[in-house]
């Protein structure tokens, strides 16, 4: 585990080449096909050297959930273990790690018809009006959402209308999770936050040079997309979309993209610092992969 730009892929690939591991991606952005540059998806050579599971699963018009991740990951872990190999889960989507280890509350599956109904209501009344409705039926959830957070407002209202219960109450219930594996949680954390921020800026610059803007343009031509879709909420993609719509120039795109990525890293670090059972490594260490490998050889 680790924040964006902490070097997770590099370490995972190194481990997979030196231990009997198979990599399972724990990244909510890598599941999308044709979203390669902006997600820092491992390139063909990297995947040939160390194949990754749970990459390129769905089109950018589709959705992927923590529940589906948990089911997919558990099935893969069983298959990998049956081959006498070790599942190596690597990524930065902390909610997925939490879902895998702690289980999920019994929230209802998405209801396409109800979502279409909510979208129509939002088009007529606006998301702030639906946020106000949510505040009446589920004040705890509404209090932590912005009035224009369309995806989360929609989900909370969907849950309420399907179950008659506030989502906040359902999420309070204890969940039994049976994970039949010995887990070694490893975290790549920066000893210098400013150095991580420099890496983030350098990586975003590299993405721009590699054709990130052209990638988003091609996605808009190939798929029926909107900014409301989860795929276009991935860091960088929303900013590139707005740039292509002429809302600001390239310099602002770079500034906003880097800022959004730094905010993502901050959220990831907050999750990780709340975990008490992790083995932490300095992601800026010159021999990071060797340090992790040495720890694992002693622990396995």
């Amino acid at each position: 585990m680790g924040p964006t730009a902490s070097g997770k892929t590099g370490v995972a690939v190194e481990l997979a080449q030196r231990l009997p591991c198979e990599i399972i991606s724990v990244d909510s952005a890598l599941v999308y096909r044709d979203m390669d540059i902006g997600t820092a998806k491992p390139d063909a050579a990297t995947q040939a050297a160390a194949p990754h599971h749970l990459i390129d699963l769905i089109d950018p018009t589709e959705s992927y959930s923590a529940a589906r991740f948990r089911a997919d990951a558990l099935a893969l872990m069983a298959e990998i273990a049956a081959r006498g190999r070790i599942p190596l889960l690597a990524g930065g989507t902390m909610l997925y790690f939490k879902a895998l280890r702690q289980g999920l509350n019994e929230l209802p599956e998405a209801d396409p018809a109800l979502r279409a109904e909510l979208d129509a209501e939002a088009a007529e009344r606006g998301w702030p009006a639906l946020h106000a409705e949510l505040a009446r039926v589920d004040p705890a959830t509404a209090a932590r959402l912005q009035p224009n957070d369309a995806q989360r407002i929609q989900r909370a209202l969907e849950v309420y209308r399907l179950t008659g219960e506030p989502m906040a109450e359902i999420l309070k219930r204890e969940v039994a999770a049976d994970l039949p594996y010995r887990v070694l949680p490893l975290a790549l954390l920066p000893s210098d936050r400013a150095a991580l921020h420099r890496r983030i800026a350098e990586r975003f610059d590299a993405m721009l040079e590699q054709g990130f803007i052209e990638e988003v343009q091609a996605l808009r031509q190939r798929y029926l997309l909107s900014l409301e879709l989860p795929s276009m909420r991935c860091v960088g993609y929303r900013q590139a979309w707005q740039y292509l719509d002429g809302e600001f120039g390239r310099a602002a795109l770079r500034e906003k993209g880097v800022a959004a990525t730094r905010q993502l890293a901050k959220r990831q670090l907050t999750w990780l610092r709340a975990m008490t059972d992790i083995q932490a490594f300095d992601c800026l260490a010159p021999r990071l992969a060797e340090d992790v490998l040495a720890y694992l050889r002693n622990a396995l």
Side-chain angles (χ1 to χ4, degrees):
M1 300 177 285
T4 185
S6 60
K8 298 180 294 295
T9 298
V11 171
V13 169
E14 186 79 14
L15 294 178
Q17 292 176 329
R18 297 167 73 174
L19 292 172
C21 294
E22 293 186 33
I23 299 171
I24 299 175
S25 168
V26 188
D27 191 306
S28 60
L30 296 188
V31 299
Y32 296 111
R33 301 184 192 101
D34 299 319
M35 291 174 57
D36 303 330
I37 297 171
T39 62
K41 189 175 292 176
D43 60 21
T46 302
Q47 292 194 53
H52 287 58
H53 299 284
L54 300 189
I55 285 181
D56 292 333
L57 299 181
I58 60 175
D59 287 344
T61 52
E62 301 175 86
S63 297
Y64 191 79
S65 66
R68 180 173 168 187
F69 166 79
R70 189 174 197 272
D72 288 346
L74 286 172
L76 282 166
M77 292 164 78
E79 293 169 12
I80 292 166
R83 290 194 283 269
R85 299 173 67 78
I86 303 168
L88 171 58
L89 293 106
T93 301
M94 301 305 157
L95 177 63
Y96 286 8
F97 280 115
K98 183 175 186 287
L100 180 65
R101 297 185 65 190
Q102 298 179 19
L104 288 162
N105 302 84
E106 292 299 320
L107 292 173
E109 292 290 323
D111 184 312
L114 179 52
R115 290 195 169 189
E117 181 182 311
L118 287 164
D119 283 336
E121 289 181 32
E124 182 179 344
R125 299 161 52 202
W127 285 108
L130 269 68
H131 181 265
E133 178 183 329
L134 181 64
R136 291 191 293 274
V137 298
D138 187 354
T141 299
R144 62 181 178 81
L145 300 181
Q146 295 296 318
N148 285 306
D149 191 342
Q151 182 183 22
R152 292 179 177 86
I153 294 169
Q154 181 189 63
R155 178 57 175 159
L157 283 173
E158 176 186 44
V159 168
Y160 179 78
R161 292 188 186 183
L162 288 172
T163 67
E165 293 185 85
M167 188 165 73
E169 292 303 314
I170 298 174
L171 293 177
K172 286 179 184 176
R173 294 173 191 156
E174 292 293 323
V175 179
D178 182 20
L179 195 59
Y181 301 96
R182 178 190 176 202
V183 177
L184 295 174
L186 314 177
L188 310 185
L189 304 177
S191 56
D192 179 356
R193 187 79 68 93
L196 181 68
H197 290 171
R198 286 194 293 273
R199 277 192 185 183
I200 287 170
E202 289 165 3
R203 190 166 79 167
F204 197 81
D205 288 338
M207 288 175 178
L208 290 173
E209 291 175 9
Q210 291 161 14
F212 177 44
I213 295 171
E214 291 75 15
E215 175 176 274
V216 179
Q217 197 164 31
L219 287 167
R220 290 179 15 148
Q221 292 169 351
R222 181 171 184 179
Y223 298 100
L224 188 60
L225 297 173
S226 77
L227 281 179
E228 304 308 317
L229 287 168
S231 61
M232 292 299 104
R233 289 197 185 88
C234 292
V235 167
Y237 284 86
R238 174 177 291 275
Q239 291 77 24
W241 182 293
Q242 292 170 318
Y243 165 79
L244 288 169
D245 278 352
E247 293 187 27
F248 42 71
R250 191 180 177 98
L253 163 62
R254 193 254 185 196
E255 178 185 345
K256 291 175 183 291
V258 169
T261 311
R262 285 173 58 167
Q263 283 297 313
L264 170 62
K266 182 179 179 181
R267 293 193 298 273
Q268 291 166 318
L269 288 168
T270 298
W271 274 86
L272 287 166
R273 293 203 169 98
M275 296 181 182
T276 57
D277 61 345
I278 58 176
Q279 177 66 38
F281 296 86
D282 180 7
C283 70
L284 306 172
R287 293 173 52 82
L288 175 58
E290 288 80 1
D291 293 344
V292 176
L293 185 63
Y295 169 81
L296 286 176
R297 281 183 166 150
N298 285 329
L300 294 175

